[in-house]
Amino acid sequence: MHISSRVADQKLTVTVDNIPAGRTITELLLIDPAGGATQARERELSTRETASGGNAGPGVSVGAVGGSSSGVHPYISLGYLFRGSERVERSRRLTGEIPLPDPAAYAAGYRDWRIELRFRDQLGEPQSVQIPAPAP
């Protein structure tokens, strides 16, 4: 997994790329210096499939985009694959927006803030990853 973040318009945008199969994201949080947590309000999870190898022919890709507030929207993509689908690779991406609870305090001491991603691994065990908050 790769986590990146940026600050704009008094909110924090966090992107989590290459989420492994079987891993379920449960929470995306901004943690202040006192330990208070602000949860992401807007979350969108998207899945992308690519295929390679085999024979040429028509191809179909099925996926879904959406998040906690916007709902889940399935999609179907039709096309012509010049190579068949011997190998299919799936990658998932989560994008979340967290409003800054106190923009002035964040700007003054962003080095004391952190982003926490909570998830369940393939065995259902709770895990978390923390990264430093970005500069304003």
Side-chain angles (χ1 to χ4, degrees):
M1 274 191 324
H2 178 262
I3 303 171
S4 60
S5 60
R6 64 181 172 84
V7 177
D9 301 325
Q10 298 186 351
K11 65 184 173 188
L12 185 69
T13 301
V14 181
T15 303
V16 183
D17 286 311
N18 300 322
I19 301 169
R23 188 168 288 180
T24 304
I25 306 297
T26 56
E27 290 182 287
L28 179 59
L29 307 163
L30 176 63
I31 310 294
D32 66 28
T38 303
Q39 191 168 19
R41 290 190 183 159
E42 298 289 328
R43 286 179 23 177
E44 182 176 309
L45 183 64
S46 60
T47 302
R48 181 177 175 197
E49 291 185 356
T50 57
S52 63
N55 297 324
V60 177
S61 176
V62 178
V65 297
S68 58
S69 63
S70 62
V72 176
H73 305 285
Y75 67 86
I76 297 175
S77 174
L78 303 173
Y80 189 85
L81 296 174
F82 292 99
R83 294 185 175 196
S85 57
E86 268 186 26
R87 190 182 75 183
V88 176
E89 294 181 13
R90 291 177 181 88
S91 64
R92 294 186 306 150
R93 167 187 274 188
L94 172 80
T95 303
E97 291 183 352
I98 306 172
L100 293 176
D102 186 345
Y106 182 86
Y110 72 92
R111 288 181 179 90
D112 296 326
W113 297 62
R114 66 187 185 282
I115 297 167
E116 184 172 338
L117 177 69
R118 296 179 184 167
F119 59 92
R120 293 198 179 276
D121 64 14
Q122 290 83 347
L123 300 175
E125 297 294 321
Q127 306 285 332
S128 68
V129 173
Q130 295 183 3
I131 64 167

